[in-house]
Amino acid sequence: MSVPLQLGFQDPASYIMQQFHEFHDYAMIFIVFITILVFYALSLLSFSAPTHWKFVEKQNVELWWTISPAFILIALAVPSISLLYYMDEGPNPEVTVKTVGHQWYWTYEIWDNQRIEIDSYMVQLEDYKTEGLPRLLEVDNRLVLPLNTDIRIITSSTDVIHAWCVPVLGLKMDAVPGRLNQMFTFIERAGVFYGQCSEICGSNHSFMPIVVEAVNKNVFYQWCNEMAE
């Protein structure tokens, strides 16, 4: 979960999010280099105007400031395409979860050996019984998912456009009425991960949080049996 004055990403809990971190650091190398180069050039121009014809009409300079951006774009495109490939459809998911957005709560339908349906509402401040729960982020029914499992998440909505987003897992997908969108994840570490609706969906948009609890498979199947009873 994010903390005050945090500048970087949250610690990743999935392979995809780890790749996001690495691509971010990789892209920042180019951004910092270009920023320093531009400010250096501006500082030189502010003290000495380039009036000499060999500089103003230099063909080699024009050639390089045309070719260099092309190489930079290629260097950024290759890892980004690879990352998009990893985000693509996964092979034979073991667990399928359907998340349905409502104004203003989430419904989760889980298909494994049986079908489970739960509603997830934000816990009101006056209902808090445990100290230390994050304000406006805790829910009455968490979505429990297993570790080290190929999971498919299907999103949809019953009214307006919502967005199901859990930053730690690198997941963000619009929930559109009458349409099914899907994403895949593979959770690598246990924990409780928080997210929120990321599409403005009405007056209570800020009050429909998402909580994913990642547990081992035995605990997950035990939870499924308890919810099915």
Side-chain angles (χ1 to χ4, degrees):
M1 188 173 66
S2 298
V3 296
L5 302 180
Q6 179 176 336
L7 297 179
F9 292 112
Q10 302 178 41
D11 293 336
S14 67
Y15 175 78
I16 291 296
M17 193 58 192
Q18 179 63 42
Q19 293 300 306
F20 281 154
H21 282 216
E22 294 179 2
F23 180 72
H24 170 266
D25 297 339
Y26 176 73
M28 285 300 296
I29 295 175
F30 292 93
I31 295 173
V32 171
F33 172 76
I34 294 172
T35 302
I36 294 175
L37 182 62
V38 169
F39 276 98
Y40 175 71
L42 290 175
S43 64
L44 291 180
L45 293 175
S46 64
F47 291 105
S48 57
T51 58
H52 198 278
W53 68 271
K54 288 186 178 181
F55 182 85
V56 177
E57 301 178 6
K58 193 71 170 179
Q59 296 299 321
N60 290 338
V61 174
E62 295 184 6
L63 177 65
W64 279 108
W65 73 36
T66 302
I67 294 178
S68 298
F71 281 112
I72 294 174
L73 290 177
I74 293 173
L76 292 174
V78 172
S80 64
I81 292 174
S82 176
L83 183 56
L84 287 174
Y85 172 79
Y86 284 119
M87 294 174 61
D88 204 355
E89 183 171 348
N92 301 322
E94 299 181 41
V95 177
T96 298
V97 180
K98 182 180 180 181
T99 67
V100 182
H102 307 268
Q103 290 180 313
W104 288 271
Y105 66 97
W106 294 96
T107 295
Y108 299 121
E109 301 175 14
I110 301 176
W111 287 279
D112 186 31
N113 296 324
Q114 51 196 340
R115 180 177 179 273
I116 302 169
E117 181 176 343
I118 59 174
D119 293 330
S120 182
Y121 291 85
M122 184 187 73
V123 174
Q124 302 299 320
L125 294 179
E126 59 270 18
D127 296 333
Y128 275 31
K129 299 179 180 179
T130 304
E131 295 183 359
L133 293 178
R135 180 177 178 273
L136 303 181
L137 286 178
E138 192 56 62
V139 297
D140 54 358
N141 289 312
R142 295 174 173 176
L143 174 61
V144 179
L145 295 177
L147 292 170
N148 302 320
T149 303
D150 290 313
I151 302 171
R152 174 174 56 191
I153 300 176
I154 301 173
T155 62
S156 187
S157 172
T158 59
D159 35 53
V160 298
I161 298 178
H162 303 274
W164 200 83
C165 177
V166 182
V168 170
L169 301 178
L171 298 177
K172 183 179 184 296
M173 182 68 69
D174 285 343
V176 182
R179 179 175 177 177
L180 296 178
N181 294 325
Q182 68 177 2
M183 49 190 167
F184 296 82
T185 187
F186 188 90
I187 306 176
E188 297 181 335
R189 68 177 174 90
V192 178
F193 312 127
Y194 294 91
Q196 291 176 297
C197 176
S198 297
E199 189 74 35
I200 297 177
C201 57
S203 59
N204 287 337
H205 159 69
S206 301
F207 306 108
M208 49 184 304
I210 302 161
V211 182
V212 174
E213 185 173 354
V215 298
N216 62 55
K217 290 186 178 181
N218 293 333
V219 176
F220 169 73
Y221 289 121
Q222 181 180 355
W223 175 81
C224 288
N225 293 330
E226 292 176 355
M227 298 301 296
E229 293 178 354

